[in-house]
Amino acid sequence: MAKQTWKAGNMIYPIPAVLVTVADNQGNDNVLTVAWTGTVCTNPAMAYVSIRPSRHSYKMIQETGQFVINLTTKDLAFATDYCGVKSGKDEDKFKTAKLTREKATYVKAPLIKESPVNIECEVTQVIPCGSHDMFLGKVLCVHADEQYMDETGKFDLQKANPLIYSHGQYFETGEYLGKFGYSVQKKKK
């Protein structure tokens, strides 16, 4: 089968659709949907979010140098989409999307209670990339909801039905196929 050649674009899909929470120094906060996010480094733990400078939340992150990445689930699909198409300068999206604020441990931005994982970050660098600026963040701590722990005490995100994004569409994750290294793991007798 032949392949088509397209103009330059980003085809790294699927990706997580996350809700990013921010706050300013005056105590105002906001939540926005971000698909340009991910892990940058394991040690030290670092993550990033890329946001357009025109977004209402951009100035809040610039002001405090802090943000929280809140993972989303199938149950949060409506709120995730809503927070991506409405502006926090016009309304309280927490209230409208029925999201509960929780106090963070290290940053001013709130956590989202309904999120299975909240990742508190402190900005170490802002990298202008074109349409978006990348906020590189040091992970200060991670909050994991105990209801998603398995019988061994390991966090099992699959239980939460994580939400993923691909080409403008949301999906829940699929069937478990194996763990890291299963392709070379010795067969049990």
Side-chain angles (χ1 to χ4, degrees):
M1 185 177 283
K3 291 186 179 179
Q4 296 179 5
T5 301
W6 298 346
K7 68 176 183 158
N10 195 330
M11 290 293 293
I12 304 171
Y13 289 114
I15 53 180
V18 301
L19 290 168
V20 174
T21 48
V22 298
D24 63 20
N25 288 325
Q26 291 71 48
N28 302 305
D29 60 23
N30 194 34
V31 55
L32 74 154
T33 304
V34 172
W36 308 144
T37 185
T39 300
V40 176
C41 186
T42 302
N43 191 11
M46 298 188 77
Y48 78 93
V49 294
S50 290
I51 300 173
R52 290 180 187 272
S54 61
R55 295 292 295 261
H56 177 64
S57 297
Y58 183 94
K59 292 180 190 92
M60 292 181 173
I61 296 175
Q62 260 193 328
E63 186 177 312
T64 63
Q66 302 172 343
F67 60 91
V68 178
I69 298 171
N70 302 273
L71 298 189
T72 59
T73 65
K74 179 181 178 180
D75 291 342
L76 290 170
F78 182 87
T80 302
D81 184 63
Y82 189 86
C83 292
V85 296
K86 293 293 188 173
S87 175
K89 69 181 173 196
D90 301 324
E91 65 180 281
D92 179 350
K93 290 191 284 185
F94 282 96
K95 183 178 178 182
T96 310
K98 297 181 173 99
L99 298 170
T100 310
R101 293 171 173 92
E102 284 191 321
K103 185 166 176 37
T105 303
Y106 297 103
V107 301
K108 293 178 181 185
L111 311 178
I112 296 175
K113 181 178 182 170
E114 294 80 8
S115 173
V117 175
N118 319 93
I119 306 165
E120 295 187 43
C121 298
E122 181 177 66
V123 175
T124 60
Q125 188 176 2
V126 180
I127 304 167
C129 296
S131 63
H132 292 66
D133 286 354
M134 181 192 308
F135 291 91
L136 189 60
K138 178 181 177 187
V139 175
L140 302 176
C141 73
V142 176
H143 304 267
D145 192 325
E146 291 178 348
Q147 73 174 310
Y148 301 111
M149 301 298 180
D150 68 15
E151 59 282 347
T152 67
K154 182 180 170 192
F155 188 79
D156 184 358
L157 185 60
Q158 194 64 27
K159 288 182 176 181
N161 279 328
L163 191 64
I164 54 177
Y165 177 84
S166 182
H167 280 280
Q169 299 176 317
Y170 302 101
F171 299 91
E172 61 182 302
T173 55
E175 179 182 343
Y176 172 80
L177 300 175
K179 65 178 183 176
F180 178 75
Y182 83 97
S183 63
V184 296
Q185 188 173 351
K186 293 183 180 182
K187 304 259 189 256
K188 293 182 179 178
K189 294 179 182 180

